[in-house]
Structures are given as structure tokens and as C-alpha cells.
Amino acid sequence: MKHLLVIEDDQYKLDKLKSFLDQEFKDVPYTVKTSFHSGFAEIVENYENYCLVLLDMSMQNYDISSDEAGGDPAPLAGKSILTQMYLREIPTSVIVLNMYEHFQDGTKIKDLHSILQEEYSDNYKGYVYFSHLDNKWKSDLKTIITQFLCLHIVTGK
């Protein structure tokens, strides 16, 4: 069975997402990476192990540790990962899980959605808006993952 790959640097959001996956998809293994570089490296080196990537759009460049502060935040790091997947012809599907309605450069998530659909249609399968205020993201994400996993099982892709 292929795994899910989660690329997320916000600890609160990551804790909520892991709890959700453990409860709703307990039989589906997943791997977590917490920065642009570690997530990108995991995709390039092991993409064949993953059927779906849950991708944050804004994240630190490097994993935060006692030796590393994470580097400068990258507001559209997820888009850079999608670009590199496209250039390397990595076929893994991606769902963006984002908690911002707009980014530092002024881009709105709905506009970004249109851009990602157009430029990365082979990988990008949509986005879910994560909110601290309600749990709608859980039902939205559950629907998408369930549909995707069912399609993946039926088609083998």
C-alpha cells in the first residue's frame, strides 16, 4: 500500500492533521516532513512510495531544530514544490491544505487555485482551507481523500 506524504511546518496545524488522519484513515500510513527542503527531498527521492501529498503552501525553508531556526519563511514554497514535480515529471497527486486566505505577496487562495489548476493539472487536485475556528476542513479533506483513495484503488494510479 502506498502512503500519504504530509508537508507541513505549523505544529498546531500538523497536530490537528495527524489526529484527523489517525482517526479517519487509521489504516493509511503517512510520513511527515516539516519544511520545503525536507519535503522536496522526500518527494524527489521517494515519490513512488506515495499516492497523495498533503501540501502546505507557506513553510520554512529548513526543518527547525536546536541547530537550525528554519531559515526564512517561504510564502509560496508549496508552489515551488509543484513546479519541481512538474519539471521532473513526478506523477504524485497533491492536495493543498492551507490556512491563509491570501499570501504575503497579495495572492488570494482562490486565485492561486486557478493558477495551480492551469499550470499543474497533472499533480494538483485541489485545496482545503484549514481554519482554527471550525472543523469544516475535516469533512472537506475526508471527502477528497476518500474519493482519491477509492479512485486510486480502482485504477491503481
Side-chain angles (χ1 to χ4, degrees):
M1 167 184 263
K2 290 191 177 187
H3 295 62
L4 299 177
L5 175 60
V6 176
I7 305 175
E8 175 59 60
D9 70 326
D10 182 274
Q11 193 60 53
Y12 174 81
K13 186 173 149 194
L14 181 57
D15 290 344
K16 293 291 186 182
L17 181 56
K18 287 167 58 177
S19 176
F20 164 80
L21 291 172
D22 291 343
Q23 181 178 1
E24 298 294 338
F25 298 97
K26 57 182 165 255
D27 295 330
V28 180
Y30 61 90
T31 300
V32 174
K33 297 297 175 182
T34 59
S35 71
F36 168 78
H37 283 284
S38 65
F40 174 66
E42 183 66 20
I43 288 172
V44 170
E45 294 168 14
N46 300 305
Y47 70 86
E48 65 280 348
N49 295 333
Y50 301 105
C51 62
L52 182 64
V53 177
L54 301 178
L55 179 64
D56 187 21
M57 193 50 58
S58 300
M59 66 188 87
Q60 297 292 321
N61 277 308
Y62 301 96
D63 291 344
I64 295 173
S65 68
S66 59
D67 300 342
E68 175 61 56
D72 293 329
L76 293 175
K79 186 175 183 214
S80 296
I81 287 175
L82 279 162
T83 299
Q84 292 303 316
M85 290 174 72
Y86 171 78
L87 293 173
R88 288 173 167 75
E89 298 181 357
I90 294 172
T92 310
S93 295
V94 174
I95 299 293
V96 169
L97 183 62
N98 196 66
M99 64 183 184
Y100 300 111
E101 292 186 39
H102 62 277
F103 300 92
Q104 287 178 333
D105 69 352
T107 303
K108 294 179 180 178
I109 187 65
K110 290 181 181 181
D111 296 334
L112 182 61
H113 170 68
S114 297
I115 292 167
L116 297 178
Q117 277 184 313
E118 184 177 319
E119 293 180 13
Y120 310 109
S121 61
D122 288 346
N123 300 96
Y124 178 72
K125 305 305 179 196
Y127 79 94
V128 171
Y129 176 69
F130 177 91
S131 174
H132 295 281
L133 303 176
D134 66 46
N135 288 323
K136 184 178 181 310
W137 68 270
K138 290 180 181 181
S139 61
D140 293 346
L141 189 57
K142 182 177 180 179
T143 298
I144 291 171
I145 292 174
T146 300
Q147 289 172 348
F148 180 81
L149 290 177
C150 288
L151 179 65
H152 180 73
I153 290 168
V154 169
T155 64
K157 294 181 180 181

